[in-house]
Amino acid sequence: MAKLLIVEARFYDHLNDLLLAGARAAIEAAGHHHETITVPGALEVPGAIALAAESGRYEGYVALGVVIRGETYHFEIVAGESARGIMALTMDGLCIGNGILTVENEAQALARARPEEGDKGGGAARAARAMMELKARFAT
């Protein structure tokens, strides 16, 4: 039984609740344990995962959050840099499922976040588990 850490950028509570429900359900359905921590925004997610990885307490990580395009260039920076940070950690061997939504509007976010629709939270948890299994396969 593995232990996963869910790291959520809790900016849009109602959307994050949906992502979190999907991730938790997927982890529990697989018979694994999880903990959840919250960071201020999507840019902080990779840093939190890197800090948690140093503890050696987790086999996998689920990154959750929502970035909605606004009127400024900030969207591109947050979306790109959070994804880049997560990708760098995966290239270092961490098993991460990226469930940070980058969308144009709230309607798109809702459709992707709802467990009964897009279930991107559950999808991120399943991706983390798949990478954990792959890592174990290559370790033997």
Side-chain angles (χ1 to χ4, degrees):
M1 190 172 318
K3 188 169 189 179
L4 289 89
L5 179 67
I6 300 169
V7 180
E8 66 163 341
R10 189 113 185 134
F11 195 79
Y12 299 99
D13 287 342
H14 64 296
L15 298 171
N16 270 79
D17 287 344
L18 296 169
L19 290 170
L20 194 54
R24 287 178 172 164
I27 292 168
E28 291 166 7
H32 298 305
H33 294 292
H34 59 82
E35 289 183 26
T36 302
I37 61 168
T38 302
V39 296
L43 287 174
E44 290 76 32
V45 170
I49 291 172
L51 292 171
E54 292 177 9
S55 75
R57 292 172 37 194
Y58 308 99
E59 287 81 23
Y61 304 88
V62 180
L64 299 179
V66 179
V67 183
I68 299 176
R69 184 180 298 280
E71 297 177 5
T72 68
Y73 185 68
H74 186 68
F75 171 86
E76 282 83 6
I77 293 170
V78 173
E81 290 302 309
S82 64
R84 185 195 59 76
I86 290 168
M87 183 55 67
L89 293 170
T90 63
M91 297 301 290
D92 286 340
L94 295 184
C95 301
I96 304 171
N98 187 351
I100 297 177
L101 304 181
T102 52
V103 296
E104 297 292 326
N105 53 54
E106 184 176 347
Q108 289 179 352
L110 281 168
R112 287 159 178 77
R114 287 186 187 115
E116 62 276 7
E117 286 184 63
D119 193 24
K120 295 300 182 183
R126 288 185 290 276
R129 283 193 356 255
M131 294 305 291
M132 291 162 49
E133 292 168 6
L134 191 60
K135 186 174 185 174
R137 177 179 166 198
F138 289 128
T140 58

